[in-house]
Amino acid sequence: MRVTVTAHRDYTISDIDDRLYSAFLEHLGRAIYTGIYEPGHPTADKNGMRGDVAKLVRDLKIPYVRYPGGNFVSAYNWEDGIGPREKRPTRLDLAWHTSDSNAVGVHEFIDWCEAVGTAPMLAINLGSRGLDQARNFVEYVNGPTGSYWGDLRKSNGHADPFNVKLWCLGNEMDGPWQVGHKTADEYGRLANETAKALRAFDKSLELVVCGSSHSNMPTYPEWERVVLEHTYESIDHVSLHMYFANRENNTANYLALNHKLDTYIGTVASTIDFVKAKKRSKKNVTISFDEWNVWYHSNAADRAVLDGNSGWPHAPRLLEDAYNFEDVLQVGCILNTFIRRSDVVRIACIAQLVNVIAPIMTEPGGPAWKQTIYYPYYFASIFGRGTALNLSVDSPGYDADIADNVAYVDVAGVHDKQGNTVTLFAVNRHATDDAELALNLQGFGTARVIDHQVMTHKDLRAVNGLRTQNDVVPKAGSGLKVDGSTLTGKLPPYSYQMIRLQVG
Ligand code: AHR
């Protein structure tokens, strides 16, 4: 199969916001406890944070990490996680039917962010609680000393304001499963009043309002319209979530699902434009896609805890999807979609980061390792920064349940003007055929390949487990040739590729 891609230096989509490569950590299962935090672990620092996990996180250069939920946040009291540890209460977590010792709270999380080179994106409980605790939380985190909340923070060991800029106004408030679920009107009004109060404290905060939990929600996309009509002038981003699954064991359909993601983003972008026009506004609201990933492998195993048949365990194994090679291809396609929609998606968070539907896994007292999906996320985060190129792609396609004529080769391109590089991320979704790639580079001057990483595997179901930590890993590619301004080479069937070119 022949695939032709044309990239022109001046034919671009957008400058990519680095926050596209953010992540999410929830008080859920072992994400925090025995994930990032495990006092007594051989690599733990003086704060009890695992050094092996911190290293894997640091390597990803994650701009922001969203915290502390997720569904968890909708019944969370942030005050439970401050002050001396021995005085912190153990609470029942209604979202996941577990308990939480609160040994990790906002101080420990922000300290950890600093240690791993990321920044916090904090979520506020607008489920079981309201405006007043929202403003108290923000004042506690960011307020000056000499005021009640600032002084309390100081007495808990941090005199300087944390200066957290990015705040989520609740989580998935459209979902009937959410503690404190609301109608779009109820939520829109509350979010707007909360945003007004937070802006009265600090105009420069960046605020994220809840959009739909997924595009199959019965209230989508009317939810976005109503919520934005309440909040358009007071918020900056609308939050979207989407999880991917191959329950029917149909790889072709599974790997076409980023079409659904693309349509979802396009529909919400149009809804934003509609409300903007209706309000005669000049403000641009953008999308924070603050939960995305593959999530289905662990569903059956989780039932006992989620149905309440295990009591209220602390940090049980929950949502511990073991990702396979097929999921590498899926995550590659998802990230390509975000790059191609980077004009409107300014923030995206892989959900989640450690143990819970995560690229990083740990064993209590044991090692931490990279799941298969760590790699496409790593390559996008490290090399996917710059300007998204508006590629012209000519690829044969196939008909899937979600769409017809889905291109066999999914591709995104990024031009880093400072570093004079062009990076191509390509997934060949064909089960049996090589893609004979011809990439025409226009307006970039000379080009030479400086890195080529390939992920293939004979078994789509291969995973990196505790005993097979390196079964699915990238390998140096070969066989790419540059002749003048054209790069040619073969992309093997079912493969993920990262190709970097020095240009100019
Ligand atoms: O990431 C797991 C859960 O998925 C989050 O808690 C929730 O926001 C979403 O439904």
Side-chain angles (χ1 to χ4, degrees):
M1 142 178 96
R2 284 186 192 285
V3 174
T4 306
V5 177
T6 304
H8 192 291
R9 187 191 165 95
D10 298 332
Y11 196 33
T12 61
I13 297 168
S14 174
D15 286 343
I16 296 169
D17 189 322
D18 287 353
R19 297 177 298 179
L20 205 65
Y21 307 112
S22 297
F24 172 41
L25 263 178
E26 179 167 4
H27 279 243
L28 194 185
R30 301 192 307 115
I32 304 295
Y33 306 110
T34 74
I36 63 166
Y37 173 75
E38 190 179 341
H41 187 272
T43 70
D45 65 13
K46 62 179 185 343
N47 301 320
M49 297 299 183
R50 284 183 65 147
D52 54 353
V53 175
K55 157 96 177 70
L56 293 176
V57 172
R58 207 175 291 118
D59 288 351
L60 287 165
K61 295 202 184 334
I62 302 171
Y64 278 81
V65 178
R66 180 172 173 254
Y67 170 91
N71 296 340
F72 170 82
V73 80
S74 293
Y76 178 56
N77 299 333
W78 63 269
E79 304 90 328
D80 293 342
I82 61 172
R85 271 207 178 108
E86 60 285 2
K87 293 204 173 133
R88 297 185 191 175
T90 292
R91 296 274 188 193
L92 302 185
D93 162 30
L94 303 180
W96 304 103
H97 215 283
T98 56
S99 61
D100 194 312
S101 66
N102 282 300
V104 173
V106 69
H107 284 258
E108 291 79 16
F109 175 68
I110 296 177
D111 287 349
W112 177 83
C113 284
E114 204 178 299
V116 300
T118 189
M121 171 183 190
L122 294 180
I124 289 168
N125 175 357
L126 286 187
S128 68
R129 307 184 83 186
L131 186 158
D132 209 36
Q133 63 78 37
R135 67 169 275 230
N136 295 345
F137 187 22
V138 174
E139 281 184 39
Y140 179 86
V141 172
N142 286 352
T145 50
S147 67
Y148 176 79
W149 292 110
D151 285 347
L152 183 61
R153 185 191 62 243
K154 181 179 174 188
S155 72
N156 288 329
H158 208 281
D160 291 337
F162 286 116
N163 279 324
V164 173
K165 284 291 166 212
L166 201 47
W167 294 84
C168 304
L169 303 174
N171 176 70
E172 294 189 349
M173 299 308 305
D174 62 329
W177 59 86
Q178 203 70 214
V179 174
H181 159 62
K182 292 170 178 55
T183 66
D185 271 313
E186 288 166 349
Y187 171 67
R189 260 191 59 70
L190 174 63
N192 189 48
E193 291 306 317
T194 305
K196 273 166 52 188
L198 301 189
R199 291 220 186 278
F201 166 70
D202 179 357
K203 279 196 201 50
S204 73
L205 297 177
E206 254 185 271
L207 302 177
V208 184
V209 78
C210 295
S212 291
S213 303
H214 52 78
S215 60
N216 294 338
M217 292 297 292
T219 47
Y220 160 82
E222 181 66 358
W223 173 276
E224 279 79 359
R225 180 191 68 76
V226 175
V227 168
L228 286 172
E229 286 196 2
H230 283 285
T231 59
Y232 198 87
E233 296 298 341
S234 61
I235 55 89
D236 302 287
H237 313 279
V238 57
S239 149
L240 299 182
H241 295 173
M242 182 170 175
Y243 290 98
F244 298 75
N246 185 9
R247 294 203 171 81
E248 283 75 44
N249 196 13
N250 182 323
T251 303
N253 278 338
Y254 178 53
L255 295 182
L257 284 176
N258 66 327
H259 268 251
K260 188 172 174 181
L261 171 64
D262 189 65
T263 307
Y264 187 19
I265 293 167
T267 303
V268 174
S270 304
T271 309
I272 293 171
D273 285 346
F274 172 79
V275 177
K276 178 180 177 183
K278 209 171 157 190
K279 290 194 171 281
R280 313 289 188 261
S281 175
K282 60 179 185 184
K283 176 174 183 171
N284 289 320
V285 166
T286 54
I287 292 174
S288 169
F289 215 109
D290 45 42
E291 287 186 33
W292 66 266
N293 204 349
V294 174
W295 176 13
Y296 76 104
H297 298 288
S298 61
N299 289 169
D302 290 343
R303 286 293 8 134
V305 173
L306 300 184
D307 292 345
N309 298 329
S310 307
W312 297 91
H314 188 263
R317 289 181 190 266
L318 271 180
L319 279 64
E320 297 204 2
D321 275 39
Y323 291 117
N324 58 34
F325 171 65
E326 186 182 61
D327 301 325
V328 169
L329 306 177
Q330 179 68 278
V331 166
C333 291
I334 295 168
L335 286 160
N336 282 353
T337 306
F338 288 139
I339 291 170
R340 291 190 295 258
R341 301 310 302 243
S342 55
D343 53 333
V344 62
V345 181
R346 305 307 285 171
I347 302 168
C349 304
I350 189 171
Q352 299 190 10
L353 186 57
V354 184
N355 287 332
V356 171
I357 41 175
I360 298 170
M361 289 301 289
T362 72
E363 195 55 23
W369 68 95
K370 299 171 184 170
Q371 289 235 58
T372 63
I373 62 166
Y374 183 99
Y375 297 102
Y377 175 47
Y378 170 83
F379 288 128
S381 177
I382 304 302
F383 302 120
R385 301 184 190 210
T387 304
L389 293 165
N390 199 347
L391 303 175
S392 163
V393 180
D394 184 7
S395 164
Y398 66 98
D399 292 347
D401 281 356
I402 201 73
D404 288 338
N405 201 23
V406 174
Y408 276 112
V409 173
D410 187 278
V411 57
V414 177
H415 180 203
D416 171 8
K417 289 177 187 155
Q418 266 89 51
N420 283 323
T421 59
V422 168
T423 303
L424 210 68
F425 304 97
V427 175
N428 182 359
R429 304 187 250 222
H430 204 293
T432 54
D433 289 7
D434 287 327
E436 309 273 355
L437 174 72
L439 168 67
N440 300 313
L441 290 158
Q442 299 183 354
F444 294 100
T446 56
R448 74 187 163 87
V449 177
I450 51 171
D451 196 3
H452 178 200
Q453 298 291 324
V454 184
M455 295 185 76
T456 54
H457 204 286
K458 59 184 183 313
D459 181 6
L460 283 173
R461 306 279 163 250
V463 302
N464 290 344
L466 177 60
R467 280 172 200 83
T468 55
Q469 287 173 23
N470 294 307
D471 190 15
V472 183
V473 292
K475 301 205 169 78
S478 61
L480 294 181
K481 289 199 184 79
V482 181
D483 185 4
S485 56
T486 304
L487 171 136
T488 53
K490 266 190 197 149
L491 314 181
Y494 284 153
S495 67
Y496 167 89
Q497 317 264 332
M498 193 282 297
I499 301 167
R500 287 186 78 218
L501 298 151
Q502 191 78 55
V503 293

